[in-house]
Amino acid sequence: MTHPHDRALPRAVRQAMPIARDILEEVAKQHGVCIRPVPLRRLDTITGKSEIIDVPCGAVLDSKCPPCAKRNRQLRMAQCREGWHLDTEPSITPDEPNEEQRWLVEFRADMQAKRDAAEQAGDDTTDLDAVLSGLDDEINNAGMRGSVTGSAVPKRTRSTRRRQDAPDLPKRKMTNTTLGRTFTSGDGKTYRPSLFVTLTLPSYGKVRNSVPIDPDTYDYRRAARDALHFSKLVDRFVQNLRRVAGYDVQYFAAVEPQKRLAPHLHMAIRGTLPRAEIKQIAAATYHQVWWPQADEVRFDGDHLPVWDEEAGYLDPATGEVLPTWDEALDALDEDAEPLHVLRFGEQVDVQGVLAGTPDADQCIRYLSKYLTKSIGDTLDGGQAQREHATRMLDALRYEPCSPTCPNWLRYGVQPKSAKPGMTPGHCRGKAHKPEHLGYAGRRVLVSRKWSNKTLAEHKQDRRTWVLEALGQTDEPTDLHRYIWRPVPAGDANVPPLAVRLLRSVHERQRWRAHLRELEARAAGQDLSAIPQAA
Ligand SMILES: [Zn+2]
Ligand SMILES: [Zn+2]
């Protein structure tokens, strides 16, 4: 393959190449090949060989190209299917870090160094911070628990008075199992029932075709805050569910956008509870956000806090130092009200599902239906819905998305880890972006003992399957054999994208052909082994 810089190519060919590249991208997509591969340098510590390897973007970055998103969805479906109706207790042992995990950690270390250097140079670190948090997610997804940096900062201890009360719910004695009950029918068949639950947020005002009838009275602020803190409400629900169920309930859940642009939740639950109890738990579940107030605007327009090297942010008029994040939290006294209280809406859908039925398959497809879309992907995208999305974004613009959000300055509080250059309304956190619409959390929530496998192990399964089909063994990799390093942008050793895509497509085609051949051969054998039907 040649590339456009090759002077030996006739001019006409060179000019045609951008078009060829578009076509190539399409071909790559059809073959399920990542179209935005990330080049990484892999040093083999045994042979000393160093080479550049393309890693699919879905394995490294937060944003996934369409083929990676699709593959991710297939992996998630396999993971969901595997855990839902387990009949033996999963054995959870921390795994040895595999190669993927190792390079993720090393890559993260490099990015951290870059970020720290940028901070020292007084540069904006927002993008690098976002990359780091994305990597942390990936590291967790790759099956490692906890964050790499650990929690060096001691957790704040809150007054017990402010601790959230357990809601008034029945409580069963806890048994040490993750498995649901089974039922045996008259003919001795065992049934393994489970649940598929859909939880939604409350109404913020009447809607028609998923768009507010009266935008002026629609409660966008509440919708924004509910979306920002939705994942914590889900955590509460699971806590309460386990308490009531009396066993270590496992779940696989997906957060998806509703047409009215609020996140909602589909959850496959292992085991079963009475429908009425699930509804009771949903109704009793709430989450309080104990943050400083964010309703009274203190600084706006040109009247914004100013940065002082020594003291942090000051009131521009009086020179008064604004309370730091910790001071503002300490100032929440016993009479303080939570900034926000979240509850689920009345719409709770509970469906009983039996293992191995078409119903179960249908639910699994449903659970992963939106995984390739972002929350903000409006589903039909008419004019009214676009305006609705714009109003939602406006409401999110000045809502603090996290303790470090610059929006705190608007309400007279220094954000956590305050630094110069912070401007309210210009937070670059994910939650404020049109594709997230307030919900920046994970789209798939899987409990720890769902299956015996992490997503990385499910990926490994597929790899092993392919290699076996090819008649090759997956050589056990020595964990310390490879060292991975990011490749700087513009590195001359990285061939043009078109070349790399073509190479990947070629490889994919080769093993597909090989697979077909093996399948045909296997089918032939099977046919001869099966007695002919009369
Ligand atoms: Zn990709
Ligand atoms: Zn923010």
Side-chain angles (χ1 to χ4, degrees), residues 94-114:
D95 313 304
E96 290 284 322
N98 59 26
E99 208 185 328
E100 182 195 4
Q101 294 166 337
R102 275 174 58 80
W103 77 252
L104 275 171
V105 171
E106 285 167 2
F107 188 55
R108 195 196 180 288
D110 286 328
M111 295 310 284
Q112 180 78 46
K114 267 195 181 169

Side-chain angles (χ1 to χ4, degrees), residues 34-36 57-58 65 68:
C34 173
I35 57 167
R36 289 197 289 275
C57 73
C65 73
C68 284

